[in-house]
Amino acid sequence: MKCFFKVFSPFFIAMLLVGKSYATDTAIVVGGGYKLSGSQGQIEKNVKWVQSVLKEAGVSVYTYFTDGNDPAVDVHVIDSASTAKPELEALARVFGDIEGALTRRHSNTVADNQGSTRASELMPALSNILSDTEGVPLLVFNGHGGPSRKGQDEVTLKLWDETQVSARQLHELLEKDSSDLRYVFTQCYSGGFHRLAYKDSEGGLELSDATRCGFTAESAWRLAEGCSASIDSSDYRDYTTFFFAALSGKTREDDVLSNVRDVDGDGEISLRDAHLYTLEHANSSDLSRSTSEDFLDQWLPWLDRWLPASAALPDNEYADLSERLALRLDFEDPVPSGKQIRGVLQEGEQHHERLRIQARDIHYEVRGIARQLQQQVFARWPEASSPYTQGFVSLANSGQLQEIDEWLERQSQYPLLREHQLRLTELSDLMLQAERSAIQVRKLLRLRRLARIKGSLYDKGREQHIESYERLLACENLPLDSTKSEAPNTLRQVLSASDSSD
Amino acid sequence: MNKPDLAQQDDPVKSAFGVRTVLLFFCVLLLSWPVFGLVASFFSVWHGEAVLLDSWELEPRRLLLQSFIEGYIHTLIVTVPVAALAVVDYKLFARRKGLQRYTGLAWFSVLGCASLVIALWLVPKAGLFLPLLVTSVFLLIGYRLFIGLFRMNR
């Protein structure tokens, strides 16, 4: 068999690239936080929306969310601090828990929830679905991720009850049955999960025999945007929001999207088209990446890591994207110099730093005023200094908390405290906007870098690396419902085909 | 009591010469890649766009260190012959004063040409040529200082 494969390897490679169609209409949506305080309303809304997009596309969806169907509260939402007025607001402001006062909690309302995301329950469930599914299922994770102090494959999915699954563990599960998988991971440090596509989760460029590829909101080393407890979905700018909007052809607010490009020209909007749309249009703080882009990063020759980039850009989709982004960022030239880009980036980061310092100073001031007011309250109502005691319970039962609240509102320092706290909320928004703007410039640098590496791969890369890259592209270019498309064969399928021909 | 055998005693001049030779070999071997890295970093900052800058800003430092060590290993193929050449040159220079002019010229030519050839061979773009050339010049200056210093002491 090995000899046969050696002799006919060019034939197999050709088959590998041509592929044949098979059904792939299963999606597994996993979502939610790891505990109540880390289970934001945005995640619940995202999961519901992703479910609806997938179902509309005719895909069967298995959903796993936080504690499953347990009626206990597992999601929290925070009302806007600038519009909502909680009861006992002054007390909440002075004793430092205004966010707590604005928080509402509920049990998740995700439909068709198959079960909890606890690692001990999720992993066997995943294993069952993957072994029963023909083709390339899609795994979507919407939640939080943990960093790694060692290799890329040590990053984790943070699951309910503070359990976790690392990229290495998931890789082991997939490799066990050589399962095919496409994935969309939007959590912090999600880039480490690109190792799922490779044979060795720790390192190396050799791809797994199975067909695996995916898209992540960030690299293995950075935080991702999109864990807001806000309920206003028009504010959401996370990877999920743009990626699935491009796939469904409409935004979360039902506005039709007409500018999603079919980059490979096959007449279908593929997952890769959706990713490229997100790269171009998401004004977020994410530097998103696909597995093929991760492959380019990994492939980069060692010497090129130490050299200044050449000024010219090759002709490919990343160069086109970078030119459009440069114009959108108000550069006069679609191919500005590296120095010009760095200049704008530096300005943006300095602006962010100024806001951060301003916020830090106000934060210290707020803390000082709050402490003064707290001391005055304790002097007048000593029982207030010891919560969870009988004295405090009596104070609360006698309605004196209301009295303290009113007294605080009459103090001369209180209006300043309130004003500063509102300013802090405002500064936090401004900092996020400044970070998003700076990241757009970083994205421009990243797109130019990808354009150059891709050009370089085709200029001087080994044939086996070009083939691996193209296998990843073929996988990423599948549409959401890949039954409509030619899917790339896995090496395993090619081998089994040759076995039967033997 | 036996008299010490003078023939077996180390010649202090020869011994010092040997130490300097070893020192020179390891200096060139150990410093070539860091000097190249430093020069390349300078050009990257000046140019504004390089993978190195992105890695510095967006990735853990340990990855950069790994890449640096990888560079050390990969460049041994160049730095070992260069260090050997420096030793040969030093021996020639130290023993035959009349040749110093020529060895100096030879160094300039060899390093300059080597930079150009490697640049054209590895990456046909100016990005590599400049750091290599400047590294060569730094190494050459260092080497000349080394020679000068020990020549004065002799």
Side-chain angles (χ1 to χ4, degrees), chain A residues 43-59:
Chain A
I43 302 175
E44 186 189 30
K45 280 202 151 195
N46 279 351
V47 165
K48 286 178 174 176
W49 184 60
V50 169
Q51 271 185 330
S52 70
V53 170
L54 292 169
K55 282 178 181 168
E56 221 169 274
V59 175

Side-chain angles (χ1 to χ4, degrees), chain A residues 49-342:
Chain A
W49 184 60
V50 169
Q51 271 185 330
S52 70
V53 170
L54 292 169
K55 282 178 181 168
E56 221 169 274
V59 175
S60 17
V61 184
Y62 296 88
T63 307
Y64 295 84
F65 192 83
T66 60
D67 61 2
N69 295 311
D70 190 325
V73 288
D74 56 355
V75 178
H76 76 271
V77 291
I78 301 179
D79 292 324
S80 166
S82 52
T83 51
K85 183 166 167 43
E87 280 182 39
L88 303 177
E89 183 188 355
L91 265 176
R93 288 192 180 283
V94 170
F95 287 89
D97 199 11
I98 187 66
E99 211 167 72
L102 292 166
T103 302
R104 288 180 287 118
R105 298 165 184 88
H106 64 263
S107 179
N108 81 74
T109 51
V110 172
D112 305 323
N113 195 346
Q114 312 273 319
S116 118
T117 65
R118 287 177 194 95
S120 58
E121 293 169 39
L122 183 69
M123 290 296 267
L126 270 181
S127 179
N128 285 339
I129 297 171
L130 293 173
S131 59
D132 289 346
T133 308
E134 286 292 311
V136 195
L138 176 69
L139 171 63
V140 182
F141 180 76
N142 220 291
H144 296 279
S148 156
R149 288 192 176 276
K150 298 178 201 160
Q152 258 184 288
D153 64 341
E154 291 295 327
V155 297
T156 55
L157 302 177
K158 293 171 89 174
L159 302 170
W160 190 247
D161 266 351
E162 303 198 51
T163 56
Q164 58 183 29
V165 168
S166 69
R168 186 171 44 78
Q169 287 169 314
L170 194 53
H171 183 269
E172 277 167 14
L173 179 101
L174 294 171
E175 279 294 287
K176 198 174 66 185
D177 295 322
S178 202
S179 307
D180 298 336
L181 187 73
R182 293 181 294 162
Y183 44 86
V184 179
F185 287 154
T186 61
Q187 75 278 14
C188 303
Y189 315 108
S190 45
F193 281 86
H194 285 304
R195 292 308 307 174
L196 296 180
Y198 299 86
K199 194 155 227 163
D200 181 354
S201 70
E202 283 181 28
L205 279 174
E206 193 182 351
L207 295 184
S208 164
D209 293 344
T211 297
R212 282 185 217 137
C213 63
F215 305 88
T216 61
E218 255 301 343
S219 74
W221 319 114
R222 279 172 43 88
L223 295 166
E225 175 156 345
C227 291
S228 161
S230 155
I231 49 166
D232 184 1
S233 61
S234 62
D235 274 352
Y236 295 173
R237 301 207 189 166
D238 60 306
Y239 189 73
T240 313
T241 301
F242 286 88
F243 187 86
F244 283 94
L247 280 178
S248 70
K250 58 188 181 199
T251 67
R252 298 176 82 129
E253 285 72 45
D254 266 346
D255 298 328
V256 175
L257 288 178
S258 54
N259 52 353
V260 185
R261 288 165 202 269
D262 173 17
V263 177
D264 62 348
D266 64 352
E268 291 280 353
I269 296 302
S270 65
L271 297 194
R272 185 162 189 261
D273 293 329
H275 169 70
L276 294 177
Y277 169 84
T278 308
L279 281 182
E280 186 176 351
H281 294 277
N283 184 18
S284 72
S285 60
D286 289 338
L287 282 169
S288 322
R289 57 207 61 213
S290 67
T291 310
S292 62
E293 290 161 9
D294 177 76
F295 182 89
L296 290 176
D297 281 333
Q298 308 275 340
W299 173 81
L300 181 68
W302 67 272
L303 189 56
D304 288 5
R305 291 181 195 276
W306 290 88
L307 297 174
S310 62
L313 287 178
D315 181 17
N316 59 39
E317 69 275 28
Y318 293 112
D320 293 345
L321 257 179
S322 79
E323 288 173 17
R324 288 200 295 275
L325 184 61
L327 294 175
R328 231 187 61 208
L329 293 176
D330 292 334
F331 285 98
E332 282 175 14
D333 185 352
V335 189
S337 71
K339 226 172 172 154
Q340 283 173 312
I341 302 175
R342 283 275 159 197

Side-chain angles (χ1 to χ4, degrees), chain A residues 380-402:
Chain A
R380 284 177 76 102
W381 291 276
E383 301 86 352
S385 63
S386 310
Y388 315 115
T389 60
Q390 191 54 46
F392 188 87
V393 173
S394 311
L395 185 88
N397 286 344
S398 63
Q400 284 187 80
L401 288 180
Q402 188 67 42

